[in-house]
Amino acid sequence: MEDKKTKLLIIGSGPAGYTAAIYASRANLQPVLYEGHQPGGQLTQTTEIENFPGYPEGTLGMEMMDDFRRQSLRFGAEIVNGIITKVDFSKRPFVCEDDSGRRIVAESVIVCTGAQAKYLGLDDEEKYRGLGVSACATCDGFFYRKKVVAVVGGGDTACEEALYLSSLASKVYMVVRKDYLRASHTMKRRVEQKENIEILFKCNTVGLYGEDGVEGMSLVRNKGEENEEYFNVPIDGFFLAIGHKPNTDIFKGQLDLDAEGYIITKSPTTATSVPGVFAAGDCADPIYRQAVTSAGTGCRAALDAEKFLVDANDL
């Protein structure tokens, strides 16, 4: 099979990947973009999006990603519905391999492989995804104004999500496995002072129920102990806040990653530890994880890649 040669390979899609492709195509870099396991990224699993500029009436995640994709195609990006399975960043040009065994030889690379929220592993989470189950309070909290929601988790992220939702929802339950919050002292105090947040300590979620969406959660308190207790709590929304896992496994040993697996970039640029390789979107962002910030870093990565290629006399 003949090698595919390109000035710029974009690994991953979503807001970061497609935006990088738009900018790179307009710069005549003729990028090749591999869409990955989930073409369009996490947003394709989201229902309505109302916080992305340019969509005053809101839009569906799948439709917005289709808009991004079509715009990148319009400017000449080559989009491959495939997965990059191996990378070798030890020297330029970089050599990558896809799931069909084809080698892609690239003068520069932008990694946009995203991240995925950690779930409890319940069948009901998949059943009600987009119908009351969410892993992003900032994205979906608005839909639960004056409603009752639950947040699973006991760390700083869970407390932040609960506090954010408490300004919208009428009631917020925090479902915490342990008998204490793992969050910082400041976050604990803020949560405990909020009248509409109730913490359910030593509780595990065992299921969700509802006809056309989430109507309640089934919990067990003191699991495995003599005073084990099963009970239901009516809710309208169920938010996961137990962390995210960046999709960066294939870059271990190739790029510098932090303790959680996020790609480390050289601020204020998107440059990684390997000259010519850049990272954008959630795979390099453990903090914001928003569509608009991912799109912004996709733009920056394309501009960084263009400058790198000019300086390297590859353009």
Side-chain angles (χ1 to χ4, degrees):
M1 189 181 300
E2 185 179 354
D3 291 351
K4 173 70 177 181
K5 295 183 179 180
T6 181
K7 296 174 186 175
L8 174 62
L9 170 65
I10 301 173
I11 305 175
S13 47
Y18 290 142
T19 301
I22 291 168
Y23 273 78
S25 298
R26 285 172 55 83
N28 199 34
L29 299 186
Q30 300 173 314
V32 175
L33 181 151
Y34 270 74
E35 292 186 293
H37 290 281
Q38 189 176 49
Q42 292 183 85
L43 285 187
T44 59
Q45 302 298 310
T46 302
T47 51
E48 193 165 3
I49 297 172
E50 295 189 325
N51 59 357
F52 198 96
Y55 293 88
E57 303 303 320
T59 185
L60 298 178
M62 184 71 78
E63 291 179 358
M64 188 170 85
M65 285 302 90
D66 185 57
D67 287 344
F68 276 45
R69 188 180 192 276
R70 287 189 292 108
Q71 190 169 357
S72 61
L73 286 171
R74 174 191 168 198
F75 294 116
E78 180 181 342
I79 296 180
V80 180
N81 186 5
I83 302 165
I84 296 296
T85 56
K86 295 179 183 177
V87 298
D88 182 359
F89 295 155
S90 61
K91 61 182 179 180
R92 291 184 65 237
F94 307 117
V95 178
C96 304
E97 187 175 306
D98 67 16
D99 51 346
S100 70
R102 187 181 195 186
R103 290 181 5 136
I104 301 91
V105 180
E107 299 298 331
S108 60
V109 173
I110 298 176
V111 178
C112 306
T113 48
Q116 51 190 330
K118 294 179 181 177
Y119 284 79
L120 298 174
L122 303 174
D123 291 340
D124 290 338
E125 288 173 313
E126 189 62 37
K127 176 181 178 180
Y128 294 108
R129 187 175 297 193
L131 297 172
V133 171
S134 171
C136 181
T138 308
C139 308
D140 301 325
F142 179 81
F143 302 112
Y144 297 92
R145 294 184 67 183
K146 301 186 184 306
K147 295 185 178 183
V148 179
V149 299
V151 175
V152 179
D156 279 334
T157 298
C159 288
E160 290 171 4
E161 301 274 270
L163 287 166
Y164 175 78
L165 290 166
S166 70
S167 66
L168 299 168
S170 60
K171 174 84 173 184
V172 179
Y173 290 103
M174 288 189 70
V175 182
V176 182
R177 287 189 304 114
K178 300 183 181 294
D179 58 359
Y180 61 89
L181 292 173
R182 293 182 293 103
S184 63
H185 178 73
T186 300
M187 294 303 295
K188 289 180 188 176
R189 190 177 68 251
R190 290 177 182 171
V191 165
E192 290 165 353
Q193 290 176 346
K194 270 287 184 179
E195 293 184 358
N196 66 334
I197 296 180
E198 181 179 343
I199 306 173
L200 302 175
F201 288 113
K202 296 195 72 176
C203 286
N204 288 275
T205 309
V206 294
L208 301 168
Y209 59 88
E211 290 297 322
D212 299 317
V214 171
E215 296 176 7
M217 58 181 173
S218 300
L219 305 177
V220 57
R221 180 182 282 125
N222 303 317
K223 185 178 181 180
E225 300 179 17
E226 289 184 5
N227 57 344
E228 183 177 86
E229 171 192 6
Y230 287 83
F231 60 101
N232 292 335
V233 178
I235 58 170
D236 302 293
F238 185 78
F239 289 83
L240 281 303
I242 54 178
H244 284 72
K245 182 184 183 303
N247 301 317
T248 57
D249 286 350
I250 68 168
F251 306 112
K252 289 178 180 178
Q254 299 281 338
L255 301 174
D256 286 350
L257 310 177
D258 70 11
E260 300 299 319
Y262 289 93
I263 298 172
I264 298 172
T265 56
K266 299 179 180 180
S267 181
T269 74
T270 61
T272 69
S273 56
V274 175
V277 179
F278 307 88
D282 286 7
C283 66
D285 177 14
I287 300 174
Y288 301 104
R289 296 191 299 267
Q290 299 297 304
V292 68
T293 54
S294 290
T297 55
C299 161
R300 290 166 54 205
L303 296 175
D304 288 341
E306 180 186 12
K307 183 178 185 304
F308 172 83
L309 291 170
V310 168
D311 292 344
N313 296 316
D314 289 327
L315 284 184

